[in-house]
Amino acid sequence: MPLIAAGTTVLGQQLCSPGWVDVSGARILDCGPGLPPRPPDVDLPDAVVVPGFVDIHVHGGGGASYHGPDIMRAAEFHRRHGTTTTLASLLSASHHDLLTGVRALAEATRAGVVAGIHLEGPWLSAQHCGAHDRRQLRDPQPSEIDALLAAGDGTIRMVTLAPERPGADDAITRFVDAGVVVAVGHTDASYEQTQHAVALGATVGTHLFNAMRPLHHREPGPVLALLEDARVTVELIADGVHVHPAVLRAVIEAAGPERVALVTDAIAAAGRGDGSFRLATLDVDVVSGVARVRGTSTIAGSTATMDQLFRTVAAGSGLAAAVHMTSTTPAHALGFGDVGSLRAGLNADLVVLDRDLELTAVMAGGQWVLDDGMSHPHALRRLT
């Protein structure tokens, strides 16, 4: 039952300097600003404590993929970088391979390794397929949707689709009725088609700007339709590659941190340096940290981690906004009610950062994510 005191703690959207969090088992018992109610078990006067990160769009990391057998290894890699809640993303694949992937991730969800499944395709635009195998793209069919929902048994939490594809209206309705969040992405949809998808129940824009019809002053396309609707949360990959920093700032200012969810869209190459990798059926080369489909200029996900994205947006938008975009907003967008904030009764998921916002320790479900098999990580001990 550790009581943790820190030089700065972000509680809700309040910066508390100092602040404290009292953990009991897997939950937060209490928290507050100022000095703790009793001597702390862990005293971190030079640290910043924020909620665990929530990544709702990630394909792998640390050399492992959510598309393969090493689901645990990928999740553990990102947990060490502060992601305590992961929505594991699957790329477009054949019906058989997609069912296999869903069944494996459904088991991992029930085991608590990940928080659910994101189907990024296969109902996407061939014109904006990005790093998806265009041979696997198809129109949504009720029979396939029903089979995938049955295989997931409640673990499919989000799907990305292109609303202009035949059958998309029925697909959106089917998924929404099943309690699945529908995201618009990899799309050539018009402004009006996107508005229609939102009216049917789509509430997320998948990695805004990337792999979608670009904004044009006479045909604004999906970007403006997603940005201007208060019901929609927009994903942004704030790695300095997918979106220009000026565009990142403009979107945050226009939509507000309450509607921007930072995502890594990371692939197995994250944390592995430059080299050659596999992304589902495609070969990918990473050069200077940027992943591209071999022989093309097409960006193939990212090599980012959530702690990196947190530092980027905190530098420009402040700590409270960074917490919103890396924890609170994505949790709200997916209906994850037990995470996303440091508040009494929620999961004891938190990240400890130093004064430079470099990650030093992670707690998930009330347990320290260890680096040495001892009671808490070396980095944390250096801060006490």
Side-chain angles (χ1 to χ4, degrees):
M1 188 183 294
L3 175 62
I4 303 163
T8 299
T9 305
V10 182
L11 306 177
Q13 295 312 301
Q14 181 183 6
L15 264 66
C16 304
S17 297
W20 55 273
V21 180
D22 195 2
V23 174
S24 178
R27 297 276 176 169
I28 297 173
L29 180 64
D30 201 1
C31 54
L35 297 175
R38 65 177 191 275
D41 302 294
V42 180
D43 193 9
L44 307 171
D46 296 322
V48 178
V49 173
V50 300
F53 305 134
V54 179
D55 193 352
I56 62 173
H57 190 156
V58 53
H59 297 276
S65 171
Y66 292 124
H67 304 262
D70 297 326
I71 294 169
M72 175 72 80
R73 186 153 62 97
E76 287 179 344
F77 168 79
H78 284 289
R79 191 173 291 117
R80 290 195 300 272
H81 286 272
T83 299
T84 52
T85 301
T86 294
L87 194 67
S89 302
L90 290 176
L91 288 166
S92 301
S94 70
H95 180 62
H96 174 270
D97 289 348
L98 209 53
L99 281 173
T100 300
V102 165
R103 291 185 181 117
L105 283 173
E107 184 176 341
T109 302
R110 288 189 285 269
V113 177
V114 297
I117 304 167
H118 166 215
L119 298 180
E120 190 182 10
W123 314 291
L124 309 177
S125 164
Q127 187 174 346
H128 299 283
C129 63
H132 289 253
D133 186 343
R134 68 178 63 243
R135 297 169 297 181
Q136 304 297 342
L137 304 183
R138 51 193 178 270
D139 296 332
Q141 301 292 334
S143 58
E144 179 171 40
I145 291 171
D146 290 346
L148 289 167
L149 288 173
D153 192 24
T155 61
I156 297 175
R157 303 297 297 263
M158 184 166 75
V159 300
T160 294
L161 54 76
E164 73 274 14
R165 290 203 77 120
D169 282 9
D170 179 67
I172 293 171
T173 300
R174 281 176 179 270
F175 282 122
V176 169
D177 287 347
V180 177
V181 172
V182 174
V184 173
H186 287 273
T187 177
D188 196 46
S190 67
Y191 175 81
E192 291 78 14
Q193 286 172 319
T194 307
Q195 285 185 313
H196 180 64
V198 174
L200 289 174
T203 55
V204 171
T206 295
H207 45 50
L208 193 70
F209 297 105
N210 298 117
M212 62 177 60
R213 182 190 290 202
L215 181 67
H216 188 276
H217 61 284
R218 285 191 293 272
E219 170 37 56
V223 172
L224 187 59
L226 295 166
L227 271 176
E228 70 180 3
D229 197 308
R231 295 171 290 184
V232 176
T233 299
V234 294
E235 295 180 355
L236 285 175
I237 308 170
D239 62 351
V241 176
H242 284 78
V243 179
H244 190 281
V247 175
L248 174 69
R249 291 193 299 270
V251 171
I252 294 172
E253 183 175 348
E258 300 82 5
R259 289 185 50 219
V260 174
L262 299 185
V263 299
T264 61
D265 197 14
I267 63 174
R272 303 291 284 184
D274 290 356
S276 298
F277 299 87
R278 237 1 222 182
L279 181 60
T281 60
L282 301 178
D283 291 316
V284 171
D285 292 320
V286 178
V287 178
S288 300
V290 180
R292 299 185 189 274
V293 176
R294 182 166 298 167
T296 77
S297 61
T298 300
I299 299 174
S302 88
T303 60
T305 54
M306 286 296 282
D307 56 329
Q308 172 191 338
L309 304 188
F310 183 92
R311 284 190 296 275
T312 296
V313 296
S317 302
L319 279 175
V323 165
H324 229 127
M325 291 184 280
T326 57
S327 300
T328 312
T329 299
H332 176 76
L334 268 294
F336 293 145
D338 289 337
V339 299
S341 183
L342 297 179
R343 195 168 72 244
L346 300 193
N347 286 1
D349 297 342
L350 57 85
V351 173
V352 181
L353 309 165
D354 66 17
R355 288 179 174 177
D356 297 321
L357 302 185
E358 294 286 341
L359 186 145
T360 64
V362 181
M363 175 179 281
Q367 298 293 318
W368 293 111
V369 176
L370 307 182
D371 66 358
D372 60 358
M374 299 181 70
S375 59
H376 57 277
H378 283 132
L380 178 58
R381 291 200 302 278
R382 287 197 298 270
L383 283 170
T384 59

